[in-house]
Amino acid sequence: MRRLTRTLQRRGAIDDRLVWQAASLLLAYPDDGHADRLDTAAELISHLSGATAELLGQTLTALRAFEPMAAAANYVETFDMRRRATMYLTYWTAGDTRNRGNEMLGFATAYRRAGVLPPHAEAPDHLPVVLEFAATVDPEIGRQLLIEHRVPIDVLSRALAEAGSPYAYAIAAVCETLPEAGDKELRRAERLAQAGPPAEAVGLQPFTLTVPPRRGG
């Protein structure tokens, strides 16, 4: 019985990593490597079953239906034009430059603790970066980062669902890999959803990032 339990736990941990990597690829900006990333995501999803496979598959199918220019325009409209759909996790929790910098330092410190440096071309709190780190570098530290920022992820999931965005399914799949939010977290998510993110003022090798960095500016 214990052996079966351990086997199921390992299988679950592997499945979570597949979900995180597939979601990271699906949530990346659709540049010239977009089609290849979708193919890789499809291969990862083929090893999954149940709700996570269905959710990721819905995002994949929707993204494949876009023409390249339309995919890029939709991405910008979804994540750049809506404050409530930002994927920068500390944007939800820190209101000024110093506080946000300290919180981003927490992500960078976690990456270093795992023996890598964060990618140079992207902020360490960008959700696709965190997901790829959790999938490919250190699943335990990565999972902890995701759990600690479960509320922003839940708010993002809700915002995308309300907007009818196909990206909502990928975020929902990520939520399936995390512990269920408690009453306190749900109340906090509700407050954030209503108010939006706070106004913003402005030896080791980095792990290789599959997803492209965001555009400058």
Side-chain angles (χ1 to χ4, degrees):
M1 186 66 177
R2 289 181 180 177
R3 182 177 298 175
L4 176 60
T5 299
R6 288 195 297 269
T7 299
L8 292 175
Q9 288 174 339
R10 286 196 297 270
R11 180 66 252 178
I14 292 171
D15 284 355
D16 287 351
R17 295 177 75 171
L18 291 171
V19 170
W20 296 336
Q21 181 66 83
S24 178
L25 295 169
L26 294 173
L27 293 169
Y29 176 73
D31 63 1
D32 291 341
H34 181 59
D36 289 339
R37 283 194 300 276
L38 293 186
D39 288 343
T40 301
E43 174 62 23
L44 295 170
I45 295 168
S46 72
H47 296 285
L48 294 166
S49 60
T52 54
E54 182 177 348
L55 289 165
L56 292 168
Q58 290 186 72
T59 298
L60 175 67
T61 299
L63 295 184
R64 278 183 162 165
F66 279 114
E67 294 295 330
M69 291 186 64
N74 176 262
Y75 189 96
V76 170
E77 180 183 358
T78 299
F79 296 112
D80 293 351
M81 307 302 290
R82 295 188 178 98
R83 292 177 64 232
R84 286 179 171 81
T86 180
M87 288 197 287
Y88 291 98
L89 299 179
T90 64
Y91 187 56
W92 291 96
T93 56
D96 61 67
T97 303
R98 177 176 298 178
N99 287 342
R100 190 175 178 206
N102 287 338
E103 292 197 15
M104 283 197 289
L105 180 61
F107 281 88
T109 299
Y111 296 160
R112 289 187 173 91
R113 198 165 75 243
V116 298
L117 294 173
H120 300 300
E122 184 54 271
D125 66 327
H126 193 227
L127 182 56
V129 173
V130 182
L131 289 169
E132 182 149 333
F133 169 81
T136 64
V137 179
D138 193 309
E140 293 308 313
I141 294 178
R143 182 187 299 276
Q144 190 59 40
L145 288 172
L146 292 169
I147 291 173
E148 289 173 357
H149 295 82
R150 174 64 191 262
V151 170
I153 295 171
D154 279 344
V155 176
L156 171 61
S157 178
R158 180 183 303 184
L160 293 174
E162 290 176 352
S165 170
Y167 291 106
Y169 302 112
I171 302 294
V174 172
C175 291
E176 288 285 326
T177 69
L178 305 177
E180 187 174 350
D183 291 341
K184 181 179 179 180
E185 288 76 17
L186 290 173
R187 288 194 298 270
R188 186 178 169 212
E190 181 67 28
R191 289 195 300 270
L192 276 175
Q194 292 176 357
E200 183 183 23
V202 156
L204 296 176
Q205 294 297 318
F207 73 92
T208 301
L209 190 63
T210 302
V211 301
R214 295 291 297 277
R215 289 80 60 222

